[in-house]
Amino acid sequence: MPNNIRILVVEDDQNLANNIASFLADFSEVDIENDGLSGKFAATEDVYDLIILDIMLPEMNGYDVLKNIRNEKINTPVLILTAKAEIDDKIHGFNLGADDYLTKPFHREELQARVKALLKRSGVLADDSTLKIRNLEVNLNNHVITANDEPVSLNGKEYDLLVYLLQNKNTILTKDQIFERIWGFDSDTSITVVEVYMSNLRKKLRPSQNDSLIKTIRNVGYIFQDETENQSK
C-alpha cells in the first residue's frame, strides 16, 4: 500500500466503515472491526498508525476501548468519530486520551484532512511524501530510494522495512512489532526473518555508509538513529 500506513476503523455500521476505508485507501491500508471487543483486541495486538473509533459500539463502548488502549501504553493517535456531539462527550473523550473528535454526519473531505493532519503530526505521513535521514531519501510516491543521489535497489519487503524504520526513526522497535507490521502475525514464516532482512538491508546501505543508522538493541529489537543528528541538538 502507498506509504505503508495502516489505519484501524472500529465502527459497527458496516456500510459506513466500508465507505471510510474506500476514501482512505489512496494513502493507507485500512482494517475494520465492527464491535468494541474486537477493536480493542486489534488495537492492542497489532500495529497501527491511526485508529478511528466510534463510541456507541456493541460488546464494549468506544470510551472503554480507548481507556484500555491507553492503559496498555499504546500511544497510537485516536480519532473519535461519533454521533455524540455534546461538549461533555468531547471532553470525556479527550480526557481519556483521544487526539481528535469528529461528529457524525461529517464531510469525507474533513475526515480525510483530519486523518492526514494526525499522521503528519506523528511523523508517519511526510508533507512532501519524502522520508529523509542523512543523505538517504525515500520517495513514497514512486518508491525511488537514493543515497548520495545514487539509486539504492531494494526488494518489496526490504523497502517496506526501510520505510517503517524511517517512519519510526529514533524509536526502539521490537522484533515482534517489526514482524507483525511487515509480515503479519498470521504469516507462515518465522520471526527470525526479521534478522535476515535487517542484515540484508544493512548490506545494501553499506556502500553509502548508512548501514550504521540501524542499531541493534540487545534482546529487544532495533532503532534507526542518526547519532550525529542527536549530538547537534
Side-chain angles (χ1 to χ4, degrees):
M1 297 302 298
N3 297 356
N4 203 31
I5 292 170
R6 297 187 67 204
I7 295 175
L8 173 64
V9 174
V10 188
E11 167 63 59
D12 62 333
D13 184 331
Q14 186 64 54
N15 288 332
L16 177 58
N18 289 339
N19 287 334
I20 292 172
S22 69
F23 61 75
L24 297 180
D26 63 329
F27 63 90
S28 64
E29 175 184 350
V30 180
D31 291 342
I32 297 172
E33 297 294 345
N34 298 125
D35 67 78
L37 280 176
S38 298
K40 180 183 79 75
F41 180 81
T44 55
E45 295 299 320
D46 213 334
V47 181
Y48 291 98
D49 299 297
L50 178 71
I51 299 169
I52 298 175
L53 179 64
D54 188 16
I55 294 301
M56 294 180 284
L57 294 165
E59 306 298 336
M60 177 183 285
N61 70 64
Y63 290 135
D64 287 340
V65 173
L66 178 57
K67 185 177 180 180
N68 274 272
I69 291 172
R70 295 307 187 225
N71 284 343
E72 291 289 329
K73 308 302 181 185
I74 295 170
N75 297 317
T76 303
V78 173
L79 187 157
I80 291 178
L81 185 65
T82 179
K84 295 174 73 67
E86 297 297 323
I87 187 64
D88 288 345
D89 295 318
K90 295 181 179 181
I91 291 173
H92 187 47
F94 284 121
N95 285 340
L96 288 174
D99 297 270
D100 202 354
Y101 197 110
L102 182 61
T103 55
K104 304 173 184 175
F106 59 91
H107 293 286
R108 56 182 289 177
E109 293 82 6
E110 181 179 5
L111 176 61
Q112 190 175 83
R114 287 174 181 264
V115 166
K116 287 186 174 181
L118 287 173
L119 292 172
K120 288 176 182 177
R121 189 187 307 168
S122 61
V124 173
L125 184 65
D127 286 313
D128 58 0
S129 297
T130 300
L131 297 173
K132 183 176 181 179
I133 187 170
R134 287 191 193 167
N135 57 49
L136 181 67
E137 290 191 23
V138 178
N139 187 305
L140 299 173
N141 289 328
N142 57 23
H143 290 202
V144 170
I145 308 163
T146 58
N148 290 321
D149 296 322
E150 294 293 325
V152 178
S153 179
L154 300 179
N155 68 31
K157 293 298 185 186
E158 289 170 349
Y159 172 84
D160 292 342
L161 178 57
L162 177 60
V163 168
Y164 187 45
L165 291 170
L166 273 166
Q167 289 174 336
N168 294 276
K169 68 178 182 178
N170 301 321
T171 300
I172 295 174
L173 297 171
T174 67
K175 291 180 182 178
D176 286 337
Q177 285 177 308
I178 296 170
F179 181 75
E180 290 181 9
R181 180 57 179 265
I182 305 302
W183 285 271
F185 68 91
D186 57 349
S187 172
D188 292 332
T189 190
S190 162
I191 196 171
T192 56
V193 73
V194 174
E195 297 176 12
V196 174
Y197 270 77
M198 203 66 76
S199 175
N200 291 342
L201 185 57
R202 279 184 168 125
K203 289 176 183 177
K204 293 189 176 182
L205 294 179
R206 192 163 295 147
S208 60
Q209 298 182 331
N210 284 306
D211 56 305
S212 62
L213 291 168
I214 304 174
K215 297 171 177 62
T216 301
I217 308 299
R218 187 175 177 86
N219 298 324
V220 178
Y222 302 89
I223 186 170
F224 201 66
Q225 185 179 57
D226 185 356
E227 290 181 344
T228 60
E229 180 182 89
N230 293 336
Q231 291 168 1
S232 65
K233 291 182 180 180

